[in-house]
Amino acid sequence: MVDAAVAEQFLNDNPEFAKQYYDATFRPKVILDLLGSGRKMVLDVKKFHDLTAVEESEIMFDFVRDLQDNVQMEKTVFNIMKHLSFLIQAEHLSLFMYRQRNGTAELATRLFNVHKDATLEECLVPPDSEIVYPLDMGILGHVATTKKMLNVPDVKENPHFSDFVDSLMDYETKNILAHPIMNGKDMVAIMMVINKMGAPHFDAKDEQILIKYLNFANLILRVFHLSYLHNCETRKGQVLLWSASKVFEELTDIERQFHKALYTVRAFVNCDRFSVGLLDMTKTKEFFDLWPILMGEVAAYSGPKTPDGREINFYKVIDYILHGKEDIKVIPTPPADHWALISGLPTYVAETGLICNIMNATEEDMFAFQKEPLDSSGWTIKNVLCMPIVNKKEEIVGVATFYNRKDGKVFDDMDETLMEALTQFLGWSVLNPDTYDKMNKLENRKDIFQDMVLYHVKCRKDEIQDVLNTRERWGKEPDECEEEELQEILTEVLPNSKKAEIMEFHFYDFHHTELDLVKCAVKMYYDLKVVDKFHIPREALVRFIYSLSKGYRRITYHNWRHGFNVGQTMFSLLMTGDLKRYFTDLESMAMVTAGFCHDLDHRGTNNLYQMKSGNPLAKLHGTSIMERHHLEFGKTLLKDESLNIYQNLNRRQHDHVIHLMDIAIIATDLALYFKKRTMFQKIVDQSKTYKDWNDWTKYMQLETTRKEIVMAMMMTACDLSAIAKPWEIQSKVAMAVAAEFWEQGDLEKTVLEQTPIPMMDRTKSDQLPKLQCGFIDFVCTFVYQEFSRFHPQITPMLERLLFNHSQWNIRKEEMEIRLGIKDKGKAAPAAQVTFCYDTGKSVTSSGVVIKVITGTTSSRSQPPWTTTTTGGAETHPNTPQTRRDHKDTNYIPIGRNLN
């Protein structure tokens, strides 16, 4: 037997043999035991002491075991930091993670005040307790900027030192050893060692130990960083892939598009909750909404605006709840105090277009409203990431706000990148519904224009010869003639203004043919003295007016005769009513033209019917449907070079007349009448405060808004002017309007299968006098009363209106007596009006006789309405076999087709 001493001596004398024997016999088992997961390190760390080679090896293997067993970065790095605290004999170590928020780099505590006896729980910093250093502050910021290790023997002598943490923790830092942890050229974290124990400061040996053991921490942090980047890129890919699949499923509506995409990617956004606020895209107000502001009646909007100048108005908020039980809440027209908006953060982002990343919402003033949980689950806002949704035009269409990252940490630059990619993709995808909307509008516009082309035709070459008979006179076409030659013909064929009475308020068209009205309309431009002043080509003027006469459909009331009468009334208000004193010649021309164009291509049905019937016009124009169509049709005619009476105006003049036509024609929508009447009344009141009429005129000539309001009210007065004609004229026009109403009522019954309102129900025609009185009281009286007060020259219109009201009131009372309404207090059965053309009377089914005034009228003015019963058979008054017998009969209505 060889004793132990001899064996030990032999191994000492033969080290190579000893190594070979150890490697072959014991090494595998020793290494296996050291790496075993159940092994605990045997090292006394109660007191600082120099380590033996075996103890240091034990620490190394402990690090390796951690790498093998733990995937949690914080736990592994914490173990390294504990050992480093013992090895370097330091009071504390802290780990600061590098990140970016809001585009600014910063360092935030992840592990703080680690020492040899510390536990992970007491050193792991929760997100709401982080200490954050910007890169321009303290020794940490300096190390992050230089990316080099720094040993500070005495912090008081270092200009970069900041005592921010010392004052916060009531602690004294004496010396610091800080080392950056890099991933290539990218900063990952900084390890900071504080206060050397047993020595005045850290020395070169401490630096070597730190660098040596930081290799493990560096490896762990790099793996963690790469894993996190991989995870973020994977999430980004999934978010974009899934959102793209849903975005292209929905092309019709931006709200549905956003909702589908955001709901699909909810699992990848890594937050408790997120909301999307959609912004109103309206950039300019309608003129009728601007007037109250310009008149000082409503305060101008003074709140924040988007970078492109839109008022910030969230018309809808969609709230996605991902914590607990998933839910989606859609809030249309959210109130200002809604929890998603009350902080003002979405408004701020919409105003600035910036990304806002807030790490501790409870400490921010804008979240001071959060006094208690925001819902029954006890959920509160901890950290917030808010960013704009921007479309291809760089317009902010909405704001997305993400609340509380699921792992409890704050949103970092990778979250910002991911969410920005999502919102950017959503913003760009807005192009899809925009394009779809444009295509849809183009399709509707195409249908409308096809209908226009089929029905409306420009003035033909043979038709213009009815006015400009150049073939007979000069033996050539109008476009081959000089202006002087055309003027010579017009001087002969145009009527005398006084004889035709085109300047009179009581003008009526019954004794004029449609061609006569075309000539009268041309004559008005000469009386306005605008033909030569603005170089209007004679041929273009005649063609334009003739085309307007053809642009009106041959319907009962809203035909060319009505269009001419409105233009003529505008002309008489300017000339006879002396309102032209406020307007330039250019503006007067635009106003008269707007009067002629105001009901182009009217279909005999109102705006509500267009909506109910699903007419393409209703889809193309959201409000003032028919008025916008009349306006567009008029502009379409003016775009044709052969019809463009504005072709010689300069750009500024042309834009001005088109602007005035826009206002004037849209203002004929009676739905807007009540918005402007109070403003007009105030202008009239203001005029009475001026003693000198010339001063008032000069003032008004410079007041653009007031002039526009007066012009708009003039258009209303012109459109209703039939109600202020002499009784023998008004009574005839009233029946034409009533007949057109009844025709719409018939359509509502047959096409829409709906019951029309009494005004449009021919079975309730006995209520016509009552309806006329109500219309005059409710709508008309104010218009002409205020205009008479404004300009006494217009008083004849008011006087005739009041006389007509008295006449209708007499007939209303007679009807009520005959039907027993006054005595019995209830309505009698509805009566059907039947017109007897041979007697000049109309007889209701209840036996009431209404006299129909007769006179001479052209065949075009006789409207095709109601029927004549002869021996049980119905015939139409405008059919060839009956027209000859009743050519001198005229018919009647109200003043305006109410929308």
Side-chain angles (χ1 to χ4, degrees):
M1 285 289 294
V2 178
D3 59 11
V6 175
E8 182 178 359
Q9 183 64 41
F10 176 81
L11 294 174
N12 289 334
D13 294 338
N14 300 277
E16 291 184 6
F17 171 81
K19 184 177 185 304
Q20 291 175 1
Y21 183 82
Y22 175 83
D23 290 342
T25 308
F26 300 105
R27 185 181 178 87
K29 187 176 184 305
V30 171
I31 293 176
L32 185 63
D33 290 340
L34 286 172
L35 297 176
S37 59
R39 178 182 174 83
K40 292 185 179 180
M41 185 182 69
V42 181
L43 179 64
D44 183 12
V45 295
K46 292 181 180 179
K47 294 182 180 180
F48 292 110
H49 63 273
D50 294 331
L51 298 180
T52 65
V54 174
E55 289 176 329
E56 189 170 352
S57 299
E58 185 76 6
I59 292 175
M60 290 288 187
F61 277 107
D62 189 52
F63 290 164
V64 174
R65 285 195 298 272
D66 260 350
L67 287 174
Q68 174 183 299
D69 296 340
N70 293 320
V71 292
Q72 184 181 357
M73 180 272 293
E74 287 87 354
K75 186 175 181 180
T76 305
V77 175
F78 170 76
N79 192 31
I80 294 173
M81 294 173 70
K82 278 185 64 175
H83 289 309
L84 278 172
S85 175
F86 180 83
L87 291 169
I88 300 177
Q89 298 185 19
E91 282 187 5
H92 298 104
L93 282 85
S94 294
L95 179 69
F96 290 81
M97 299 300 295
Y98 176 90
R99 70 186 182 201
Q100 288 191 346
R101 289 187 313 114
N102 299 322
T104 304
E106 60 186 23
L107 295 160
T109 52
R110 182 66 58 84
L111 295 168
F112 188 69
N113 282 355
V114 179
H115 53 87
K116 64 184 181 61
D117 300 317
T119 61
L120 177 63
E121 289 73 19
E122 67 185 19
C123 296
L124 186 62
V125 180
D128 57 353
S129 301
E130 288 180 338
I131 299 174
V132 180
Y133 271 91
L135 263 59
D136 59 352
M137 178 180 176
I139 292 174
L140 278 174
H142 178 69
V143 172
T145 302
T146 61
K147 298 180 181 179
K148 295 180 180 179
M149 184 178 68
L150 182 64
N151 189 345
V152 183
D154 187 355
V155 296
K156 294 180 180 178
E157 297 178 2
N158 190 288
H160 301 293
F161 176 71
S162 170
D163 63 349
F164 168 72
V165 177
D166 284 2
S167 60
L168 187 68
M169 305 298 296
D170 193 20
Y171 182 81
E172 182 182 2
T173 300
K174 299 175 182 177
N175 41 69
I176 291 176
L177 178 59
H179 194 288
I181 299 175
M182 309 291 294
N183 179 21
K185 294 183 179 181
D186 297 329
M187 175 70 63
V188 177
I190 292 180
M191 186 80 74
M192 186 170 71
V193 188
I194 302 174
N195 291 359
K196 176 72 175 181
M197 299 177 66
H201 55 78
F202 299 105
D203 55 20
K205 182 181 178 181
D206 295 323
E207 294 177 9
Q208 293 175 359
I209 295 173
L210 179 63
I211 293 172
K212 177 180 179 180
Y213 286 92
L214 272 185
N215 288 330
F216 288 92
N218 197 354
L219 175 62
I220 294 166
L221 287 169
R222 287 176 67 179
V223 170
F224 166 79
H225 185 64
L226 290 173
S227 175
Y228 178 64
L229 292 178
H230 176 266
N231 181 44
C232 290
E233 291 300 322
T234 302
R235 284 169 55 210
K236 184 193 292 185
Q238 293 292 328
V239 164
L240 295 179
L241 179 64
W242 283 104
S243 60
S245 68
K246 295 302 177 182
V247 158
F248 292 107
E249 283 181 9
E250 182 58 56
L251 300 177
T252 60
D253 183 65
I254 183 175
E255 298 174 23
R256 290 170 58 85
Q257 184 186 56
F258 279 17
H259 171 64
K260 278 193 172 185
L262 290 168
Y263 180 76
T264 303
V265 302
R266 67 192 185 283
F268 303 103
V269 294
N270 194 29
C271 63
D272 286 347
R273 196 167 186 165
F274 64 94
S275 65
V276 176
L278 299 177
L279 283 168
D280 185 0
M281 297 302 293
T282 304
K283 289 187 177 181
T284 56
K285 292 180 178 292
E286 292 281 7
F287 67 89
F288 44 80
D289 291 326
L290 279 175
W291 283 345
I293 298 173
L294 296 173
M295 292 292 291
E297 298 175 4
V298 177
Y301 178 83
S302 58
K305 295 184 178 181
T306 60
D308 60 342
R310 286 177 288 123
E311 297 177 4
I312 295 180
N313 175 29
F314 291 96
Y315 72 89
K316 184 170 289 186
V317 169
I318 308 174
D319 186 19
Y320 299 83
I321 303 171
L322 306 180
H323 63 91
K325 184 180 179 181
E326 287 191 3
D327 194 11
I328 300 173
K329 297 181 180 179
V330 180
I331 304 97
T333 317
D337 60 352
H338 186 269
W339 73 267
L341 303 177
I342 192 173
S343 67
L345 181 60
T347 301
Y348 174 78
V349 170
E351 180 182 11
T352 61
L354 300 176
I355 297 175
C356 289
N357 189 345
I358 299 176
M359 58 180 290
N360 192 358
T362 56
E363 298 298 321
E364 295 290 336
D365 292 339
M366 63 174 55
F367 290 93
F369 72 93
Q370 189 178 226
K371 305 294 184 183
E372 55 187 7
L374 297 177
D375 58 25
S376 57
S377 68
W379 183 81
T380 58
I381 300 174
K382 297 176 182 177
N383 45 68
V384 184
L385 177 59
C386 189
M387 57 183 58
I389 301 174
V390 184
N391 65 12
K392 270 288 192 181
K393 299 177 182 177
E394 297 188 351
E395 298 169 328
I396 298 176
V397 298
V399 174
T401 310
F402 305 87
Y403 304 93
N404 300 3
R405 209 169 97 160
K406 279 191 174 181
D407 58 4
K409 300 175 183 177
V410 300
F411 295 101
D412 58 19
D413 58 325
M414 296 307 299
D415 293 309
E416 292 177 11
T417 302
L418 187 149
M419 305 305 187
E420 186 177 14
L422 172 61
T423 55
Q424 190 175 52
F425 183 83
L426 290 175
W428 290 350
S429 68
V430 173
L431 184 64
N432 294 329
D434 283 352
T435 303
Y436 178 86
D437 185 56
K438 289 179 181 177
M439 291 176 60
N440 198 32
K441 284 188 176 182
L442 286 173
E443 189 69 18
N444 291 328
R445 196 179 296 276
K446 184 201 71 171
D447 294 339
I448 294 167
F449 272 94
Q450 282 182 344
D451 187 47
M452 289 167 54
V453 170
L454 291 174
Y455 197 87
H456 305 295
V457 187
K458 290 194 306 182
C459 174
R460 300 191 307 270
K461 289 185 177 181
D462 60 316
E463 291 175 331
I464 197 173
Q465 293 297 319
D466 295 337
V467 181
L468 291 173
N469 57 339
T470 56
R471 294 176 183 173
E472 178 184 345
R473 186 70 172 269
W474 308 114
K476 51 187 176 181
E477 297 297 327
D479 57 349
E480 299 171 347
C481 296
E482 298 293 334
E483 288 294 308
E484 292 78 8
E485 295 175 327
L486 298 179
Q487 182 60 47
E488 186 175 334
I489 297 176
L490 289 176
T491 303
E492 296 176 2
V493 301
L494 295 183
N496 180 276
S497 299
K498 290 187 177 181
K499 290 183 179 180
E501 297 185 325
I502 58 175
M503 291 189 182
E504 303 298 331
F505 295 127
H506 62 259
F507 172 87
Y508 63 99
D509 61 279
F510 299 154
H511 299 300
H512 296 279
T513 65
E514 292 185 1
L515 183 59
D516 292 338
L517 299 183
V518 170
K519 295 176 181 178
C520 288
V522 173
K523 177 62 174 174
M524 291 179 197
Y525 286 84
Y526 278 94
D527 290 346
L528 287 172
K529 297 180 174 55
V530 296
V531 177
D532 292 325
K533 183 173 183 178
F534 299 112
H535 308 290
I536 302 176
R538 271 73 173 174
E539 181 188 1
L541 178 58
V542 174
R543 284 187 181 276
F544 176 67
I545 300 298
Y546 204 115
S547 297
L548 289 183
S549 70
K550 296 178 66 179
Y552 282 86
R553 299 194 180 192
R554 292 180 176 272
I555 55 179
T556 307
Y557 175 66
H558 287 95
N559 47 42
W560 164 236
R561 291 183 176 273
H562 169 68
F564 174 83
N565 283 324
V566 171
Q568 182 274 328
T569 305
M570 176 62 76
F571 176 72
S572 62
L573 284 174
L574 290 168
M575 305 299 284
T576 306
D578 197 27
L579 290 172
K580 192 178 182 299
R581 64 169 52 238
Y582 308 125
F583 302 96
T584 64
D585 291 340
L586 186 70
E587 292 167 342
S588 299
M589 175 176 64
M591 293 162 68
V592 172
T593 305
F596 290 140
C597 295
H598 86 286
D599 268 337
L600 273 170
D601 196 47
H602 201 291
R603 286 93 190 279
T605 50
N606 61 15
N607 288 339
L608 186 59
Y609 183 83
Q610 313 308 320
M611 297 173 65
K612 288 181 178 179
S613 62
N615 192 289
L617 284 173
K619 299 174 184 177
L620 181 61
H621 307 295
T623 58
S624 303
I625 297 168
M626 290 305 300
E627 288 74 20
R628 294 184 189 276
H629 174 58
H630 307 322
L631 174 62
E632 290 301 317
F633 186 33
K635 288 181 179 180
T636 301
L637 292 178
L638 287 168
K639 287 177 183 177
D640 190 291
E641 186 177 358
S642 65
L643 306 177
N644 187 6
I645 61 176
Y646 300 149
Q647 60 187 264
N648 290 321
L649 299 180
N650 60 40
R651 180 65 178 272
R652 183 185 59 80
Q653 290 173 326
H654 184 272
D655 290 346
H656 187 49
V657 295
I658 295 299
H659 170 69
L660 292 179
M661 287 183 65
D662 288 349
I663 294 176
I665 294 178
I666 294 176
T668 59
D669 183 358
L670 279 183
L672 307 178
Y673 161 68
F674 297 99
K675 290 186 176 183
K676 63 192 177 188
R677 55 188 283 172
T678 303
M679 291 181 281
F680 176 65
Q681 190 175 41
K682 290 183 178 180
I683 293 174
V684 177
D685 292 339
Q686 186 181 5
S687 70
K688 301 306 176 184
T689 63
Y690 280 75
K691 295 181 179 180
D692 191 322
W693 196 244
N694 291 327
D695 292 343
W696 166 249
T697 301
K698 292 177 182 177
Y699 169 76
M700 277 293 291
Q701 288 173 345
L702 300 176
E703 287 292 315
T704 302
T705 301
R706 285 172 170 78
K707 286 168 62 176
E708 289 177 355
I709 295 172
V710 171
M711 179 187 67
M713 191 59 74
M714 288 172 68
M715 284 299 295
T716 301
C718 295
D719 209 11
L720 302 175
S721 61
I723 205 75
K725 297 289 185 180
W727 170 250
E728 61 273 13
I729 301 170
Q730 203 283 314
S731 57
K732 297 174 183 178
V733 180
M735 274 301 178
V737 177
E740 191 171 278
F741 283 172
W742 295 336
E743 289 168 3
Q744 177 174 325
D746 294 341
L747 290 174
E748 291 180 4
K749 290 179 182 178
T750 56
V751 178
L752 303 182
E753 297 181 350
Q754 296 179 358
T755 302
I757 59 176
M759 181 173 61
M760 297 185 179
D761 191 344
R762 67 172 66 250
T763 64
K764 298 179 181 179
S765 55
D766 50 10
Q767 297 184 21
L768 177 60
K770 178 181 177 181
L771 292 171
Q772 282 289 81
C773 290
F775 181 69
I776 293 173
D777 290 335
F778 186 61
V779 177
C780 304
T781 302
F782 173 86
V783 178
Y784 300 105
Q785 193 172 39
E786 290 303 308
F787 266 114
S788 298
R789 196 161 65 90
F790 190 36
H791 274 229
Q793 298 93 323
I794 308 176
T795 304
M797 298 187 79
L798 175 63
E799 293 172 349
R800 294 191 187 99
L801 172 77
L802 298 177
F803 179 80
N804 293 340
H805 182 276
S806 67
Q807 294 299 309
W808 284 115
N809 195 54
I810 291 171
R811 283 150 183 77
K812 180 187 76 169
E813 293 175 352
E814 290 177 353
M815 185 67 71
E816 289 174 346
I817 292 172
R818 290 181 180 275
L819 296 180
I821 294 177
K822 284 190 174 181
D823 297 335
K824 297 181 181 180
K826 60 181 180 178
Q832 172 69 46
V833 176
T834 304
F835 290 89
C836 306
Y837 295 93
D838 54 343
T839 63
K841 299 178 181 179
S842 62
V843 185
T844 67
S845 58
S846 59
V848 179
V849 178
I850 302 176
K851 181 175 178 59
V852 179
I853 302 172
T854 60
T856 303
T857 166
S858 67
S859 60
R860 168 75 182 271
S861 68
Q862 298 188 19
W865 50 282
T866 67
T867 57
T868 302
T869 304
T870 307
E874 292 187 351
T875 59
H876 199 284
N878 276 357
T879 56
Q881 63 267 34
T882 60
R883 181 187 293 269
R884 182 175 58 257
D885 297 333
H886 308 296
K887 64 181 179 181
D888 293 335
T889 306
N890 290 309
Y891 318 96
I892 346 189
I894 324 178
R896 172 70 177 137
N897 192 342
L898 281 171
N899 292 312

